[in-house]
Amino acid sequence: METKYIFVTGGVVSSLGKGIISASIGKLLQARGFKVTIQKFDPYINIDPGTLNPYEHGECYVTMDGMETDLDLGHYERFTGIHTTRNNSVTTGRIYKTVIDRERRGDYLGKTIQVVPHITDEIKRRMLREDEKDEQLDFVITEVGGTIGDIESAPFMEAIRQLRWQLGRNAVCVHLTYVPYLKAADELKTKPTQHSVKELQSMGIQPDILVLRTERHLDDALRMKVASFCNVDLECVVQSEDLPSIYEVPVNMQRQGLDAAIMRKIGIPVGETPAMKAWHDFLDKQRNAKREVHIGLVGKYDLQDAYKSIRESLNLAGIYNDVKAKIHFVNSEEITSQNVSEKLEGLAGIVICPGFGMRGIEGKIVAAEYTRTHDIPTFGICLGMQMMVIEFARNVLGYKDANSREMDEQTPHNVIDIMVEQKNITQMGGTMRLGAYECELVKGSRAFEAYGNETLIKERHRHRYEFNNAYKVEYEAKGMKCVGINPAADLVEIVEIPEKRWYIGTQFHPEYSSTVLHPHPLFMDFIKACRS
Ligand code: GLN
């Protein structure tokens, strides 16, 4: 089958959940046996979100091949289980960089370089995934960030317009809008949707399918009105009501025939509706998981999206453990040794979050000491693991001034040190140790058991600092074991204290590879310990 292209745009307001809709479309097509990928095009100028503060753009998600990307790629992977790559996340900055680098090389042979056609051609090339010629895909879903009408997304819209023309029936445009409910008038309003579609049409794009986000149910008359004002078939006006969980969205979309509408537009026989049994089993489990287990997220970003993948990994592991993981954010900047017992009261376990820089680290160290000495299940991730290591050095090994070189260049006890290959790096963007690396597990360790007795695993990384092997013998003698090692570079990837109920730190980020149908084994084991 020739590859088909689905473009997903959004109008009216941002934060409508375009990522969830794109991921759901991906899931539904996959359920029909198609090979799918989902990519995100973001209109900002940063080359990638790696240098962005999480307050700007939420978590930075990392692909297996080491690209720092938008958090929507996390939804794509969690919903579909596919592995995205560096070509699945593209920004305006990257597009321009490619074109400008080419211009400097002289590739354009004296031509004037312009937004149209040079920038739009580069966008089209990437939308068509011309760098990944080997992959045989049935569907490429392209989500465009931002909202219709933004100045910066105009070149993306022009590229979609041209591709639609070129691809004919092999392209489908899905547009997501918002239907607000006005309480005073007791009415749902379609005007913003009409305006948003007009805006799209003014750029030469006629949407094939409209997904209307709404807090209230939309009746047929309203859908009919939208259909006739926007030149869209009634069956192609789908509503996406607020649901108790984002994982209900694919099923809700399937019920309304969103995937069938896409197939019809393209001219593929619709056939039977896939049963999606595993997904439904998961949803049943989710609905039945009533008992709450309270987990603390010890971090410095008081923002839902900053630790998105960790939150989702905990949720998923909770559901598979038949409990509801209730997540409580605990601001590490506010934790002191005086108030720590109060701050962590009632929590069955804590996750010490990843991060960069000094702010809030002392609170993480205090939390790590408290949970270690009170034997509360604790999961340290990346910086969180490093803080567990520092706490142990200060309070067990007796090095009161132990620290990471990241926080204190002069520390005499640099139990966390800069990685050798990072020493001479001056450019900040995309230069960390990124992506998947191997890790050998020590037989008999808790981590080894959690991974189902696997000896060699692969996990994703995003860091510049590491455990200092000069201290390894001391740590192990005093009870903190190095149970996961990267064989190529001899880097410590996992530490644990076996005598505790669950006290594990990982230098890597397991949260990036937890999916709906395959929750991550470490999160599973952690929740199991918290639940008991
Ligand atoms: N700042 C730490 C490092 O660079 C940890 C990074 C992280 O938590 N992702 O090593």
Side-chain angles (χ1 to χ4, degrees):
M1 183 172 110
E2 265 182 305
T3 308
K4 321 286 178 199
Y5 298 85
I6 299 174
F7 300 100
V8 182
T9 55
V12 185
V13 287
S14 57
S15 304
L16 288 180
K18 258 187 309 191
I20 305 293
I21 294 294
S22 305
S24 300
I25 294 174
K27 177 72 211 169
L28 293 179
L29 292 171
Q30 227 184 16
R32 288 179 175 274
F34 295 114
K35 199 154 183 287
V36 175
T37 198
I38 317 178
Q39 49 186 4
K40 174 92 190 265
F41 281 57
D42 272 307
Y44 53 76
I45 315 272
N46 305 59
I47 299 286
D48 60 49
T51 51
L52 286 175
N53 182 319
Y55 280 125
E56 295 281 313
H57 213 62
E59 152 189 296
C60 175
Y61 187 78
V62 179
T63 60
M64 292 288 272
D65 66 347
M67 181 80 189
E68 296 173 286
T69 74
D70 187 79
L71 59 76
D72 275 324
L73 272 80
H75 293 307
Y76 306 163
E77 293 207 6
R78 281 189 289 275
F79 275 61
T80 64
I82 56 171
H83 282 153
T84 54
T85 73
R86 54 183 52 250
N87 290 338
N88 289 59
S89 176
V90 177
T91 65
T92 291
R94 248 178 117 193
I95 300 279
Y96 269 80
K97 186 161 189 323
T98 311
V99 171
I100 292 170
D101 286 350
R102 221 178 269 156
E103 185 273 335
R104 290 290 82 183
R105 276 202 309 268
D107 290 4
Y108 293 108
L109 305 175
K111 285 260 183 286
T112 306
I113 309 307
Q114 295 178 295
V115 173
V116 183
H118 301 96
I119 295 297
T120 46
D121 279 354
E122 179 57 20
I123 296 173
K124 279 162 60 184
R125 213 180 57 78
R126 290 184 185 254
M127 283 178 168
L128 295 172
R129 294 177 74 78
E130 290 189 356
D131 290 337
E132 304 239 356
K133 269 289 174 240
D134 298 345
E135 63 180 12
Q136 253 313 314
L137 291 170
D138 301 315
F139 283 93
V140 174
I141 301 165
T142 300
E143 176 192 347
V144 179
T147 311
I148 288 301
D150 293 347
I151 291 177
E152 57 259 49
S153 60
F156 293 116
M157 296 305 139
E158 171 60 12
I160 294 176
R161 186 194 66 78
Q162 292 183 19
L163 280 178
R164 228 180 135 203
W165 184 247
Q166 248 168 265
L167 295 165
R169 274 191 107 178
N170 285 344
V172 174
C173 292
V174 177
H175 188 56
L176 192 66
T177 72
Y178 180 54
V179 177
Y181 169 72
L182 293 192
K183 206 161 143 218
D186 187 24
E187 268 183 71
L188 285 151
K189 293 295 185 187
T190 63
K191 199 61 144 196
T193 297
Q194 296 177 42
H195 277 298
S196 181
V197 172
K198 272 215 182 83
E199 183 90 35
L200 250 190
Q201 288 165 338
S202 75
M203 290 183 266
I205 302 171
Q206 169 60 48
D208 299 294
I209 293 172
L210 293 175
V211 178
L212 311 181
R213 285 284 288 120
T214 172
E215 283 152 38
R216 303 255 171 151
H217 187 75
L218 309 178
D219 61 21
D220 288 351
L222 188 140
R223 284 175 48 242
M224 181 65 100
K225 183 173 162 189
V226 171
S228 63
F229 277 126
C230 300
N231 303 340
V232 173
D233 300 334
L234 179 60
E235 60 154 31
C236 292
V237 181
V238 169
Q239 58 183 306
S240 174
E241 277 176 87
D242 284 355
L243 295 170
S245 147
I246 53 174
Y247 302 116
E248 303 270 359
V249 177
V251 173
N252 180 34
M253 292 296 111
Q254 188 191 47
R255 226 176 277 132
Q256 295 181 68
L258 174 60
D259 53 339
I262 292 172
M263 313 274 288
R264 261 183 233 111
K265 281 281 160 202
I266 289 171
I268 306 174
V270 175
E272 272 181 39
T273 307
M276 300 217 295
K277 173 148 184 347
W279 196 273
H280 279 283
D281 289 349
F282 162 79
L283 291 180
D284 285 342
K285 261 188 160 322
Q286 173 167 263
R287 290 181 203 118
N288 293 331
K290 296 258 155 51
R291 198 185 122 202
E292 291 183 344
V293 170
H294 298 271
I295 308 289
L297 267 195
V298 178
K300 66 176 168 181
Y301 298 112
D302 191 1
L303 174 83
Q304 285 273 337
D305 278 355
Y307 306 112
K308 189 80 195 159
S309 293
I310 294 180
R311 285 175 180 270
E312 290 309 322
S313 299
L314 289 168
N315 282 338
L316 296 170
I319 293 162
Y320 281 98
N321 271 295
D322 301 313
V323 294
K324 202 178 161 90
K326 270 289 226 200
I327 299 168
H328 305 266
F329 175 73
V330 188
N331 193 333
S332 60
E333 282 182 281
E334 290 164 12
I335 301 177
T336 63
S337 39
Q338 286 77 45
N339 68 16
V340 62
S341 63
E342 197 187 311
K343 291 269 182 201
L344 304 184
E345 202 188 323
L347 297 175
I350 67 163
V351 174
I352 309 181
C353 291
F356 296 84
M358 294 280 286
R359 191 162 65 82
I361 63 154
E362 292 303 326
K364 286 183 175 172
I365 294 172
V366 169
E369 179 185 7
Y370 184 84
T371 54
R372 181 178 57 79
T373 50
H374 290 76
D375 204 5
I376 298 168
T378 306
F379 195 171
I381 299 178
C382 207
L383 184 71
M385 169 266 201
Q386 297 176 354
M387 294 305 120
M388 283 171 144
V389 167
I390 293 170
E391 186 279 317
F392 199 84
R394 290 186 185 176
N395 300 320
V396 181
L397 305 184
Y399 301 130
K400 289 287 166 223
D401 47 10
N403 214 330
S404 161
R405 275 255 198 267
E406 179 181 3
M407 315 304 167
D408 179 3
E409 279 273 352
Q410 309 304 329
T411 177
H413 294 106
N414 51 335
V415 292
I416 302 293
D417 204 358
I418 184 122
M419 278 182 274
V420 187
E421 66 271 27
Q422 289 284 330
K423 282 189 177 148
N424 297 320
I425 286 175
T426 50
Q427 291 259 6
M428 297 312 276
T431 56
M432 281 186 251
R433 179 173 181 244
L434 290 167
Y437 287 90
E438 285 187 335
C439 170
E440 235 164 41
L441 299 174
V442 171
K443 287 210 174 89
S445 64
R446 178 91 200 210
F448 172 77
E449 278 169 25
Y451 275 99
N453 297 345
E454 293 228 24
T455 43
L456 194 65
I457 55 157
K458 250 185 155 179
E459 294 283 4
R460 307 180 205 191
H461 298 71
R462 183 174 186 241
H463 64 123
R464 293 188 202 281
Y465 297 83
E466 60 164 328
F467 181 94
N468 184 345
N469 278 331
Y471 291 90
K472 192 167 162 187
V473 175
E474 275 182 79
Y475 272 92
E476 299 224 309
K478 290 279 165 61
M480 183 177 266
K481 308 283 183 193
C482 302
V483 297
I485 308 288
N486 169 256
D490 198 27
L491 296 181
V492 173
E493 303 278 23
I494 310 177
V495 294
E496 70 177 40
I497 303 181
E499 69 179 39
K500 301 288 169 197
R501 282 171 59 210
W502 210 98
Y503 200 84
I504 299 183
T506 63
Q507 184 57 74
F508 52 78
H509 293 262
E511 71 273 21
Y512 294 142
S513 39
S514 207
T515 71
V516 172
L517 297 184
H518 298 283
H520 193 282
L522 280 180
F523 281 96
M524 284 293 286
D525 202 51
F526 171 64
I527 295 285
K528 200 164 129 201
C530 297
R531 190 189 63 169
S532 60

